[in-house]
Amino acid sequence: MLRMPQPPLWRILWRILWPAPWSLLGLLLGTCMLACGGRVQARQGTLEFSGGALARLPWPMDGITFGHVILGRSAAHLALLRAHEQVHVRQYERWGFLFVPAYLSESAWQWLRGQRAYFDNRFECAARAGEKRIS
């Protein structure tokens, strides 16, 4: 059996700590979901929170990622969105705490150019492309 080499410990820690401020926000929101009847599961290096009363609010999205935390409307939505959201997790690992400002700046740039702020955002385009490769 061929074993893949493990990255050095410092690299693993960096990938966790670099986006940690956003992961903490995700944990806070996820804890609120749990307090309102939601569920949590560990999956592919993330914590996925779903369901509960907060998930029934009329949010414009079915899932969102904050660092290593993924929040979803339901477990079924998470199953459908997992590959897409995992691409965002890798983007957080690459960009760290700068990811959200970069994402919002990219959306603003697309909007100023007369494009669609969400669908033409390069981070979303990469996630859509990545979900097709992973699926």
Side-chain angles (χ1 to χ4, degrees):
M1 181 174 189
L2 182 63
R3 293 189 69 202
M4 297 297 291
Q6 288 291 333
L9 180 59
W10 69 267
R11 186 170 289 167
I12 295 168
L13 290 173
W14 182 251
R15 285 184 3 210
I16 294 168
L17 294 175
W18 180 221
W22 296 112
S23 297
L24 290 173
L25 175 61
L27 284 171
L28 176 66
L29 295 171
T31 301
C32 291
M33 289 178 77
L34 286 176
C36 294
R39 299 180 346 177
V40 64
Q41 65 180 351
R43 212 53 196 233
Q44 297 175 327
T46 66
L47 288 178
E48 294 181 347
F49 293 87
S50 63
L54 291 179
R56 291 189 289 276
L57 294 174
W59 299 108
M61 72 221 42
D62 291 327
I64 189 167
T65 299
F66 292 101
H68 289 93
V69 176
I70 301 172
L71 308 175
R73 191 170 297 282
S74 68
H77 283 100
L78 285 175
L80 292 172
L81 298 170
R82 186 166 291 119
H84 179 97
E85 299 303 331
Q86 282 291 328
V87 173
H88 288 313
V89 171
R90 302 291 91 75
Q91 291 169 339
Y92 271 100
E93 289 178 350
R94 199 170 307 118
W95 286 80
F97 67 90
L98 299 173
F99 176 71
V100 171
Y103 183 100
L104 295 174
S105 296
E106 172 66 13
S107 286
W109 174 246
Q110 294 303 331
W111 181 77
L112 288 170
R113 294 178 52 224
Q115 303 297 313
R116 299 167 297 179
Y118 175 78
F119 286 103
D120 294 322
N121 180 309
R122 69 183 174 123
F123 296 106
E124 288 301 330
C125 292
R128 284 191 300 276
E131 75 187 52
K132 290 178 180 100
R133 282 194 303 271
I134 294 172
S135 299

